[in-house]
Amino acid sequence: MEIKRDYDLTGLNTLAVVAKAKFFVVLEKASDIVELFSRSEFKGNKRFFLGGGSNVLFLNDFDGIVVQNKLKGIDIISEDDVSVRVKMMGGEDWHEAVLFCVNKNYWGIENLSLVPGSVGAAPIQNIGAYGTELKDTLESVEVYDVESGEKRILALSECKFGYRDSIFKNSAKGKCLISAINLKLSKIPKPNISYKILKDYLEKNNISSPSLKEISDAVCQIRRSKLPDPKVIPNAGSFFKNLLVDSAVIGSLKEKYPDMPTFKDDSGVTKISTAWLIEQCGWKGKREGRVGMHERQALVLVNYGGATGEEIIAFAKKIIASVEEKFKLAIVPEVNIIE
Ligand code: EPU
């Protein structure tokens, strides 16, 4: 295991922001974790665990150690006639892991096809798309405590999952390395096609009882049609979260803006579409210098080339201010902003 100095992170974050890490290391095998925790570069510095780099904004060079998890492996732990438990190591690519399950006919994460990033990053923001969240199939998360080096298994309830939220964004932030996740998937078909855009797509393509692969393919098609490929135009997916609001606020906004899209999630909470709010403020497709909001998805902030973290955050602050001015609503970034 080699700890590198002054390492260029530009190719390791999908927003392609130019930033360097004082120290950088890749974990490739379990013994690397033990070794890392004993190293002075790790013990004496601030740390950041990097996955696929698809949800991160480096504001400056990182004055500490960046650890990239590349621990690989997908294993079936147990199974019966109806379900299967799958352990996925944190360094696996999320979409590849979804395809593994789709090809084996294991139901539960197909709506999360093509979500960028790594398996180890998935629980941090409880990735979600097209009516499914990671928490719906997750049983536990395996972590190492960075202070004691001890391995712990956090059960679903301990992870405190919410919309784009978990313990890993709050009290456990920076305190543990996520080494693996354990999912319980179904061998019996369990299609979740209630999300309107997915349902409409399947209907339009005359797919009435979709197979697992057809759902995964449909999700990929929808995503490709509106979300820019970071390899072509650097971006971090949704830059902002949708807004969770109480019913009184929704009621008065709906009176003023009857077309405002709102969604109820499975816990009964209503979300306002932040993309719509941003679009109403005239930011969809708008570019300022090297930064802009994408023309097909107003939640996706893009770097047209060479933008710094400071430029991106300055642009994002303008959007926050204009949504605040027009709607009196405070939208919040979804990306992890690293100072
Ligand atoms: N909409 C607009 N303008 C736009 C885009 C969308 O008004 O430019 C409105 C439309 O009414 C549309 C609705 O928003 O029907 C929902 O749009 P979409 O299905 O694209 O979903 P989203 O709410 O904008 C969220 C997630 C995405 C996820 C999709 C699909 C967040 C922050 N984002 O976006 O996740 O793929 O739902 O489930 O929750 C990501 O996290 O990086 C991400 C892409």
Side-chain angles (χ1 to χ4, degrees):
M1 189 183 76
E2 189 194 347
I3 298 183
K4 297 182 173 144
R5 273 188 156 267
D6 295 326
Y7 196 82
D8 182 11
L9 301 170
T10 316
L12 296 179
N13 71 96
T14 62
L15 266 167
V17 164
V18 179
K20 266 194 238 157
K22 185 169 160 198
F23 298 109
F24 176 77
V25 68
V26 176
L27 300 177
E28 274 163 347
K29 49 190 189 309
S31 62
D32 289 344
I33 301 176
V34 183
E35 188 187 338
L36 174 70
F37 288 1
S38 69
R39 296 284 291 262
S40 59
E41 295 93 331
F42 185 80
K43 287 202 265 188
N45 274 298
K46 64 177 189 174
R47 305 126 182 177
F48 178 66
F49 296 105
L50 183 70
S54 56
N55 201 42
V56 58
L57 172 63
F58 291 106
L59 280 192
N60 305 294
D61 287 345
F62 188 74
D63 187 28
I65 183 161
V66 171
V67 179
Q68 192 181 33
N69 179 350
K70 286 202 176 169
L71 299 168
K72 301 278 185 193
I74 302 180
D75 293 301
I76 292 151
I77 301 302
S78 65
E79 60 185 310
D80 56 27
D81 292 345
V82 292
S83 63
V84 56
R85 289 194 160 81
V86 183
K87 173 172 172 165
M88 300 171 169
M89 296 303 288
E92 288 285 344
D93 173 73
W94 173 260
H95 180 60
E96 293 296 323
V98 171
L99 292 184
F100 171 93
C101 297
V102 169
N103 290 333
K104 292 239 179 231
N105 251 328
Y106 300 158
W107 291 76
I109 53 174
E110 55 283 356
N111 292 29
L112 302 177
S113 296
L114 222 57
V115 170
S118 67
V119 164
I124 299 177
Q125 59 152 334
N126 178 28
I127 55 168
Y130 306 100
T132 296
E133 288 186 339
L134 180 71
K135 69 163 174 54
D136 303 336
T137 50
L138 185 131
E139 281 203 321
S140 63
V141 178
E142 300 187 16
V143 302
Y144 284 84
D145 181 306
V146 294
E147 296 304 335
S148 66
E150 232 172 83
K151 188 172 172 184
R152 281 193 60 198
I153 297 184
L154 296 182
L156 173 64
S157 62
E158 291 177 281
C159 296
K160 300 196 169 75
F161 288 124
Y163 166 60
R164 295 294 193 275
D165 201 23
S166 74
I167 193 170
F168 309 108
K169 276 184 143 181
N170 297 292
S171 62
K173 190 173 178 179
K175 293 190 182 142
C176 59
L177 162 72
I178 296 171
S179 60
I181 65 172
N182 292 293
L183 302 183
K184 186 177 179 190
L185 301 169
S186 175
K187 289 183 171 177
I188 295 168
K190 278 202 173 160
N192 173 9
I193 50 170
S194 52
Y195 195 85
K196 189 171 180 313
I197 292 172
L198 178 57
K199 200 167 151 206
D200 291 350
Y201 178 94
L202 292 167
E203 269 168 23
K204 207 172 129 213
N205 288 280
N206 298 317
I207 305 170
S208 53
S209 47
S211 67
L212 188 48
K213 183 156 187 324
E214 281 171 327
I215 295 176
S216 172
D217 287 347
V219 168
C220 291
Q221 286 299 329
I222 296 167
R223 291 188 74 99
R224 288 196 178 105
S225 71
K226 60 168 74 174
L227 296 170
D229 179 351
K231 289 189 196 100
V232 183
I233 311 176
N235 72 84
S238 302
F239 191 89
F240 297 100
K241 291 192 217 184
N242 283 327
L243 264 188
L244 305 178
V245 264
D246 67 41
S247 46
V249 177
I250 299 248
S252 60
L253 280 166
K254 275 270 188 194
E255 265 175 38
K256 207 165 168 196
Y257 306 102
D259 296 339
M260 183 181 73
T262 55
F263 308 87
K264 236 186 189 119
D265 74 10
D266 55 5
S267 57
V269 182
T270 303
K271 288 180 204 153
I272 297 181
S273 159
T274 298
W276 184 87
L277 298 172
I278 293 172
E279 190 174 341
Q280 297 307 303
C281 294
W283 290 100
K284 188 172 182 174
K286 198 162 171 179
R287 176 177 176 167
E288 284 192 357
R290 303 190 278 194
V291 189
M293 290 316 276
H294 195 248
E295 68 216 14
R296 274 177 278 135
Q297 227 303 356
L299 265 192
V300 180
L301 187 154
V302 294
N303 174 2
Y304 285 106
T308 63
E310 294 293 349
E311 277 170 67
I312 289 174
I313 208 71
F315 184 75
K317 279 183 181 163
K318 281 192 185 176
I319 292 170
I320 293 170
S322 75
V323 172
E324 173 78 49
E325 196 190 327
K326 187 169 167 76
F327 295 101
K328 305 281 168 283
L329 292 171
I331 59 169
V332 274
E334 192 221 89
V335 291
N336 192 359
I337 297 168
I338 308 297
E339 312 253 346

